[in-house]
Amino acid sequence: MTRRIVLGTLMAAGSFSLAVSAYQASPSPAPSPKVVEVEKVRDNLFMLKGGGGNTAVFVGTTGVVVVDTKLPGWGQPILDKIKELTPKPVTTIINTHTHGDHVSGNVEFPATVDIVTQENTKANMQKMAVPTGVPASAVGPNVFQTSNGRGMPTRTFKDKLTLAKGPDQVDLFYFGRGHTNGDAFVVFPALHVMHAGDIFARKGPPLLDANNGGSGVEIGDTLAKAAAAIKGVDTVITGHSTVMTWADLEEYARFNKDFLEWVRGEMNAGKSVEAAAAEYALPAAYTGYVTSPDRVKFNVQVIYDELKK
């Protein structure tokens, strides 16, 4: 009996862990050192790892552009690490989307910093709805409410926005719904690098956050539009994984399109969400991709719900 209870507890904990990891990360229940790891992408572009989504730090001629600011409490560690890299001030934050593991550090930056997002992301940040498939307990309080609106976007764009010129230029693109309905692709043209945020978080099933406008029907097309429209990029900073190539992004667009077509087939065959998810096998073409039954089931449900509309 004791062994059965322990096993059941472990299985429940494992399921909860998968849901949390799908969201990407959650605050630790006990204080621990906030260690920011630095990976140089270019001489003046760095990826900061730990504490949520990957942060990009672009050191321009007169100031620093930061892309995504991690979980609550990680804004100051990011600022501290930037001071080790350059004496230049942070002038701009770009948030790729609304999730708390990418935007919460905003509140710890100086109020003078310009914060830029896609217009749908600003609307989502005003609500900070719990992402689809993520336990509310893993998300925590709305940091923008508790900070009286500090850290909210000061500028938005619809489809494209260019910041600065020459070697300091940063291009922001929006191609449609995917992970959320406000995923921004952030391009540093002089460096041939792009930050994709969580619309390309890692090689595996995405988190399709229907609660924040995400779409399993559209994500493959959105990624394909980005791959076709954006020129001159060879390096991609992912939302939570390693730095990857443009070919990896193109492959990820195909992965999501293939998953959609597989789900369509299951739905047309009259399969339930549970039966379809249980049958899913990662196609051989996507070697190195990592998946989980829980994430597949959530994504099948999101797509079924969309296709029924």
Side-chain angles (χ1 to χ4, degrees):
M1 176 64 74
T2 301
R3 290 182 62 189
R4 287 199 297 270
I5 293 173
V6 171
L7 179 59
T9 302
L10 290 173
M11 289 176 67
S15 177
F16 178 83
S17 176
L18 282 170
V20 173
S21 65
Y23 172 57
Q24 317 306 352
S26 63
S28 173
S32 59
K34 293 179 171 61
V35 179
V36 176
E37 298 179 26
V38 178
E39 179 177 335
K40 180 190 281 188
V41 181
R42 297 288 190 269
D43 286 344
N44 62 330
L45 179 64
F46 306 88
M47 182 172 76
L48 307 188
K49 298 178 287 186
N54 289 328
T55 296
V57 172
F58 175 53
V59 183
T61 304
T62 59
V64 175
V65 176
V66 174
V67 182
D68 287 346
T69 59
K70 305 188 183 297
L71 288 160
W74 283 80
Q76 190 59 52
I78 292 171
L79 283 165
D80 293 342
K81 186 58 66 175
I82 290 171
K83 288 179 182 178
E84 296 177 14
L85 299 172
T86 177
K88 297 175 183 178
V90 175
T91 59
T92 308
I93 290 172
I94 300 165
N95 293 131
T96 59
H97 64 289
T98 187
H99 289 156
D101 57 332
H102 291 258
V103 304
S104 296
N106 287 14
V107 302
E108 298 172 55
F109 281 73
T112 54
V113 173
D114 190 20
I115 302 175
V116 186
T117 69
Q118 203 276 338
E119 60 187 19
N120 295 332
T121 290
K122 179 177 181 179
N124 291 336
M125 289 169 69
Q126 289 170 337
K127 298 178 292 184
M128 293 302 284
V130 176
T132 302
V134 175
S137 59
V139 176
N142 183 332
V143 295
F144 303 114
Q145 287 183 353
T146 58
S147 67
N148 295 316
R150 185 184 179 111
M152 283 291 293
T154 53
R155 270 201 289 172
T156 64
F157 72 100
K158 184 175 181 180
D159 299 313
K160 183 180 178 182
L161 177 67
T162 294
L163 307 176
K165 298 179 181 179
D168 293 338
Q169 182 171 325
V170 181
D171 293 325
L172 310 182
F173 298 91
Y174 175 72
F175 293 102
R177 297 166 64 204
H179 174 58
T180 68
N181 65 353
D183 300 301
F185 295 83
V186 183
V187 178
F188 306 98
L191 304 181
H192 310 290
V193 179
M194 180 178 79
H195 195 317
D198 279 1
I199 197 166
F200 185 19
R202 57 175 61 84
K203 287 190 173 184
L207 187 155
L208 300 175
D209 183 7
N211 292 345
N212 284 288
S215 171
V217 172
E218 296 183 30
I219 187 170
D221 286 339
T222 297
L223 285 160
K225 288 175 186 177
I230 297 172
K231 307 297 182 183
V233 173
D234 54 37
T235 302
V236 180
I237 297 173
T238 59
H240 287 266
S241 186
T242 59
V243 172
M244 296 193 189
T245 68
W246 199 250
D248 291 323
L249 179 76
E250 293 172 326
E251 178 188 76
Y252 194 60
R254 295 193 296 272
F255 170 80
N256 281 281
K257 286 186 174 187
D258 288 350
F259 185 79
L260 170 62
E261 290 313 304
W262 174 81
V263 174
R264 283 188 195 274
E266 295 293 285
M267 186 174 177
N268 290 340
K271 303 286 182 63
S272 68
V273 169
E274 291 75 14
E279 291 178 1
Y280 181 72
L282 193 66
Y286 300 108
T287 302
Y289 279 57
V290 177
T291 187
S292 75
D294 282 353
R295 178 50 50 206
V296 169
K297 184 179 177 181
F298 281 128
N299 288 1
V300 171
Q301 182 69 67
V302 168
I303 294 172
Y304 269 38
D305 290 344
E306 285 188 82
L307 293 176
K308 290 175 183 177
K309 291 180 180 178

